[in-house]
Amino acid sequence: MKKTNTGLQFILLGIVFAIFWSSASVAAKIGVQSMEPLVLFQFRFFLAGILLLAYHAIFEKWQWPNRQEVIALSIFGFLNVTLYLTLFVLAINEVAAGIGSLSVSLGPVLMAIIGGLILGKKIEAKQIFGLIFGIGGVFIAVWPLLQNSFATFRGLFYLFLGMLSYSLAAIYFSEKKWTLSRYAINGWQVLFGGIFMLPLTIFLKKEPVLFTQENILSILWLAIPVSLLAVNLWLKLIKIDAIKAAFFLFLCPIFGFIFSSFILDEPFTWHTMVGLVLVLLGLFLGQEKK
């Protein structure tokens, strides 16, 4: 009975993670309507970093990162936040929110391929086919959106570069030994990432910062349910069972397209369905099994 309850709890946590994580594209799409993208995410990073480190200080034993950890956190934050989310923010202005969710879901397959090239790990044929199916699925899903101006090739290129940065960050994180708690790691890397992005945000800012109900709610949603809740749920799921946890990423594109269709009235066509099926098949094949 205890095993059943534990399994059910794991599934429920995974579903909650997928719901909140896939909502990021929609929340960003709403926020950028009344605030410049980089400015929006700049507020998100600083708010999320402060809240995470405040949690670490109040509910955990405070631990300052040492010099090596500061360097590692800086590199991780630059790849995982500054570069990845800068590219994502630039892309979300030019692609449908559902495409943002779909592209992010290809991360596990891409990580497996990059891990093989950089770390010399064996790349299985399934992973190569998984990447092919994944890319094919994204292409089919975005084709009608390109025709109807719901996405641009420049926006898709930004997403691809962002995925590369995100994958490199994940590999870098997995290869490092950390003594800090996951709240402290998440808090410092988000804060460092936001600091590194600040000069670019100031340089590219063209309009005065005006707060509206929409962009305030967007910042709060991206900072709390996404950066705090979803990321920490993901770390918890990985700690329980990394292989099973990876399967919850399959749900992200599905929830992403559902949210973007109902909330933003973006198209959900047979192209979307075929693309989703191929992406899910690609992700399934791309899972590295021990």
Side-chain angles (χ1 to χ4, degrees):
M1 189 69 176
K2 184 177 180 181
K3 185 177 180 180
T4 302
N5 291 337
T6 303
L8 179 61
Q9 183 184 36
F10 183 81
I11 292 173
L12 291 175
L13 289 175
I15 292 174
V16 172
F17 156 76
I19 290 173
F20 285 125
W21 188 248
S22 60
S23 69
S25 294
V26 176
K29 195 78 173 181
I30 293 174
V32 298
Q33 302 304 315
S34 56
M35 181 177 283
E36 292 179 86
L38 290 178
V39 176
L40 178 82
F41 272 69
Q42 193 73 65
F43 281 111
R44 172 218 176 163
F45 297 147
F46 284 142
L47 178 59
I50 291 171
L51 291 176
L52 282 162
L53 292 178
Y55 180 93
H56 172 58
I58 297 172
F59 298 102
E60 299 178 334
K61 184 179 179 181
W62 179 264
Q63 181 181 354
W64 287 99
N66 57 40
R67 183 179 178 181
Q68 290 184 337
E69 287 172 328
V70 168
I71 295 173
L73 288 166
S74 298
I75 295 173
F76 182 46
F78 178 79
L79 292 172
N80 196 53
V81 173
T82 309
L83 191 54
Y84 164 61
L85 285 172
T86 295
L87 290 165
F88 179 80
V89 168
L90 293 174
I92 204 64
N93 243 3
E94 302 189 29
V95 301
I99 297 302
S101 298
L102 186 61
S103 65
V104 171
S105 70
L106 291 174
V109 177
L110 195 56
M111 278 185 264
I113 301 298
I114 294 175
L117 294 175
I118 295 178
L119 303 177
K121 293 183 178 180
K122 183 180 178 181
I123 304 176
E124 299 180 0
K126 285 184 177 181
Q127 294 171 332
I128 297 175
F129 281 113
L131 186 60
I132 293 173
F133 277 118
I135 293 174
V138 171
F139 180 79
I140 291 174
V142 304
W143 181 251
L145 299 177
L146 288 169
Q147 302 300 309
N148 295 291
S149 300
F150 278 93
T152 66
F153 284 108
R154 183 172 63 179
L156 295 175
F157 183 64
Y158 285 150
L159 282 178
F160 177 73
L161 292 180
M163 288 164 51
L164 281 176
S165 181
Y166 179 81
S167 301
L168 287 171
I171 293 170
Y172 180 81
F173 175 80
S174 65
E175 292 299 306
K176 286 289 180 180
K177 292 183 179 180
W178 304 92
T179 60
L180 299 169
S181 73
R182 65 173 183 265
Y183 285 97
I185 293 172
N186 197 15
W188 284 116
Q189 66 97 11
V190 168
L191 194 60
F192 286 156
I195 292 172
F196 295 149
M197 200 181 78
L198 186 58
L200 182 64
T201 302
I202 295 174
F203 178 75
L204 294 178
K205 190 176 80 69
K206 298 178 181 178
E207 303 173 359
V209 177
L210 299 175
F211 290 100
T212 66
Q213 181 179 354
E214 287 76 16
N215 60 45
I216 290 174
L217 290 175
S218 176
I219 292 169
L220 291 174
W221 187 269
L222 290 168
I224 300 174
V226 178
S227 289
L228 274 70
L229 180 59
V231 171
N232 283 289
L233 275 177
W234 176 242
L235 294 177
K236 182 174 182 178
L237 290 168
I238 289 176
K239 187 174 182 180
I240 296 173
D241 192 319
I243 300 295
K244 292 182 179 178
F247 281 85
F248 291 113
L249 292 172
F250 297 175
L251 297 175
C252 290
I254 297 175
F255 283 126
F257 273 108
I258 291 174
F259 291 152
S260 61
S261 179
F262 281 96
I263 298 175
L264 301 178
D265 199 29
E266 292 179 355
F268 193 94
T269 65
W270 70 267
H271 289 87
T272 308
M273 289 300 301
V274 173
L276 279 172
V277 171
L278 288 176
V279 168
L280 295 178
L281 179 59
L283 286 168
F284 178 76
L285 292 174
Q287 292 300 307
E288 183 180 0
K289 297 183 179 180
K290 295 181 180 180

